[in-house]
Amino acid sequence: MQGIWTTERIREAEGKLFAVTPDGELMRRASFGLATHLAGFLTERTGGVAGRRVVLLVGSGDNGGDALWAGAFLRRRSVAVTAVLLKPEKAHARGLAALKRAGGRVVSVEDSPQWIKKADVVVDGIVGISGKGPLRPDAKELVDQVRAPIVAVDLPSGVDPDTGATDGPHVTADLTVTFGAPKPVHALAPQQCGDVVLVDIGLRPELGEPDLRRLELTDLADLWPIPGAGDDKYTQGVVGIAAGSATYPGAAVLASGSAVRATAGMVRYAGPAADVVRSRWPEIVATGSVTDAGRVQAWVVGPGIGTGSEGRDVLRHILGQGVPVCADADATTIIAQHPDVLDARDPDTPLVLTPHAGEYERLMGTRPGADRVKAARDAARKYNAVVLLKGHCTVIAAPDGRVAVNTPRGSWLATAGSGDVLTGLVGSLLAAGLDPWLAAAAGAQVHSLAGALAADGVPTSASGLVDAIPGALKLVRGTTGNTDVEVIELPVN
């Protein structure tokens, strides 16, 4: 798993490393890495380095110093570098001197437009991880003039480093070059950060356990229950689906089909859409009632069941079965409106709740707000459940404080029925015996991979997501080194 650390933890680790490192060494490491990635970015975008024009937007912090030193390194490769100093009196003195010695140009804010307009790349070195709030008016005016690609130093200025939130003018970068370790902003605000690359400055040994985690494809390959020679339908997991209605059977078809595609050993559907589900997925054992469903190892409940007395009875019955439950959609609304249904649940029985922002508000009495990690943790503690807080970036919190973040490729999952597909994925993993937090995190990531594959550059549908699940799993399996598996190239938004 990729570790992610809050800015407080990063600063603590940097303080330890500064104490045992020669003065200026860490900045030189960071700026040389920044210059290397800038050179690669220039080559990719313009076909070369020599003679290209780079403009540095330089603030008063260390990020401005990193930008100035990187500009000095680029000058050695015949790049025309111009630095715009937002606060000349507070610019990093040694970095500024290095740029001037290398032949770099320094201009005032007033004289900067002519240079910004000619730039091949603009470097955002306005604020660092200690900065809070939106861009100030002078910085906003400069950024508004930029038409070239932007490379951010550590993080895009004006974006909160710990929440990824924006509440005013900010930089939207094409590439972010960060130092030491990933920060929450890189996982929570991909639309502002662009591609993110990490420069190792030796910080990792000082960091300790990460605050957040993000699953990688190799983690999914290890976690996902691909059947082996000794497996059968029961060892792969039997998942029950209680979803949909006779009038609105779509949720039932999508959640059930998702579980089938996710390699569940067996899927049992229970509910009024049994005939429709059976006609679409003949391998599913479908009955009309949860009381007739037979033995399962996990339940998915909620999408389309309604919030009336029948829905409450279904949810109460399922919570009392002593097996892991993924409760989605109408089930979360029932829990919010009738919390006594949770009395049927043994407190030790795993429960995964999958609210979007509106459902979260019903559960908690307030919107998630800017700090979605804290919001998910608060709900996980309150309900003693894993909470998968949906959004562009999905946050998955466990009652013990563990948090995973899934950062998608594009926004293809913003389509009706997408959540039903996700619940089927999570339910199949719960039935296979995965830790509920890992099941939710892995399900969310395969869900977003399927979305990228199904979309292939254009909007897709929830049915398309279901059909793309095998391709997503094929992509995952391609990371294991199995030469019999074709690796699929993912489209990018």
Side-chain angles (χ1 to χ4, degrees):
M1 293 187 193
Q2 181 190 59
I4 300 169
W5 287 264
T6 63
T7 54
E8 180 182 1
R9 298 281 304 287
I10 294 287
R11 285 193 290 266
E12 289 175 358
E14 286 176 341
K16 296 175 183 177
L17 195 56
F18 282 139
V20 296
T21 305
D23 183 39
E25 175 62 22
L26 294 185
M27 181 168 284
R28 281 190 288 272
R29 292 180 194 174
S31 58
F32 183 76
L34 172 60
T36 300
H37 286 293
L38 278 167
F41 188 78
L42 277 169
T43 300
E44 178 185 335
R45 293 299 180 105
T46 68
V49 175
R52 301 298 184 254
R53 294 163 294 196
V54 171
V55 170
L56 315 175
L57 305 183
V58 181
S60 57
D62 285 347
N63 277 21
D66 292 330
L68 290 166
W69 275 106
F73 287 126
L74 288 176
R75 282 293 304 134
R76 298 176 188 175
R77 299 188 61 176
S78 301
V79 177
V81 179
T82 301
V84 182
L85 307 182
L86 278 86
K87 294 185 179 298
E89 71 282 3
K90 294 185 178 180
H92 191 275
R94 293 171 66 181
L96 182 58
L99 178 65
K100 288 180 176 178
R101 285 196 304 270
R105 181 186 295 107
V106 179
V107 301
S108 67
V109 170
E110 292 74 19
D111 291 337
S112 65
Q114 60 177 313
W115 305 106
I116 292 175
K117 291 175 184 177
K118 298 176 183 177
D120 294 301
V121 170
V122 172
V123 177
D124 165 26
I126 300 171
V127 298
I129 62 173
S130 298
K132 297 288 185 180
L135 292 175
R136 294 180 179 177
D138 56 345
K140 176 186 180 300
E141 185 175 346
L142 287 180
V143 172
D144 285 345
Q145 299 172 33
V146 176
R147 296 298 178 264
I150 297 178
V151 175
V153 181
D154 215 11
L155 79 164
S157 297
V159 184
D160 190 281
D162 284 324
T163 69
T166 57
D167 59 0
H170 60 274
V171 170
T172 297
D174 297 270
L175 173 70
T176 296
V177 181
T178 191
F179 312 119
K183 290 85 175 172
V185 61
H186 303 133
L188 295 168
Q191 64 275 32
Q192 272 76 51
C193 293
D195 293 330
V196 179
V197 293
L198 176 66
V199 174
D200 183 3
I201 60 172
L203 201 61
R204 181 64 183 90
E206 307 296 340
L207 284 167
E209 286 299 304
D211 298 290
L212 313 175
R213 292 173 172 84
R214 185 161 52 180
L215 293 185
E216 299 176 296
L217 287 182
T218 51
D219 299 312
L220 291 176
D222 291 338
L223 288 169
W224 207 273
I226 302 297
D231 282 311
D232 57 33
K233 61 187 178 185
Y234 297 109
T235 60
Q236 277 295 106
V238 180
V239 59
I241 309 289
S245 66
T247 305
Y248 302 106
V253 172
L254 291 170
S256 300
S258 173
V260 169
R261 295 291 201 193
T263 69
M266 183 178 182
V267 180
R268 296 183 184 273
Y269 172 79
D275 289 340
V276 178
V277 170
R278 194 183 298 112
S279 67
R280 177 63 180 85
W281 303 103
E283 57 270 77
I284 290 178
V285 177
T287 60
S289 169
V290 291
T291 58
D292 299 328
R295 183 173 69 87
V296 301
Q297 289 155 290
W299 274 104
V300 166
V301 59
I305 65 171
T307 58
S309 59
E310 290 185 10
R312 293 198 299 273
D313 290 343
V314 167
L315 178 58
R316 188 177 286 107
H317 175 83
I318 285 173
L319 289 171
Q321 297 305 296
V323 298
V325 175
C326 179
D328 180 42
D330 288 341
T332 59
T333 298
I334 292 170
I335 290 170
Q337 294 176 348
H338 305 278
D340 59 288
V341 298
L342 291 173
D343 294 341
R345 171 199 176 202
D346 186 306
D348 294 328
T349 300
L351 175 62
V352 178
L353 301 174
T354 60
H356 55 57
E359 291 161 345
Y360 180 95
E361 184 174 14
R362 292 174 208 140
L363 288 167
M364 297 295 289
T366 183
R367 300 284 287 185
D371 193 343
R372 299 178 70 248
V373 170
K374 180 181 183 300
R377 278 192 171 122
D378 288 346
R381 284 191 294 267
K382 176 176 178 178
Y383 288 98
N384 187 30
V386 170
V387 172
L388 186 157
L389 180 56
K390 297 173 184 174
H392 179 70
C393 293
T394 301
V395 178
I396 304 101
D400 60 11
R402 289 176 295 166
V403 174
V405 177
N406 179 61
T407 306
R409 288 172 174 259
S411 302
W412 310 119
L413 300 176
T415 185
S418 173
D420 305 331
V421 178
L422 175 59
T423 57
L425 288 167
V426 175
S428 69
L429 295 175
L430 290 174
L434 265 68
D435 171 273
W437 178 70
L438 287 173
Q445 184 147 348
V446 167
H447 187 236
S448 64
L449 289 173
L453 290 173
D456 195 18
V458 295
T460 187
S461 65
S463 296
L465 292 180
V466 173
D467 292 339
I469 290 170
L473 295 180
K474 192 176 183 182
L475 176 67
V476 169
R477 291 291 292 165
T479 66
T480 65
N482 183 345
T483 57
D484 294 332
V485 178
E486 175 190 358
V487 177
I488 302 170
E489 189 69 26
L490 272 177
V492 178
N493 188 8

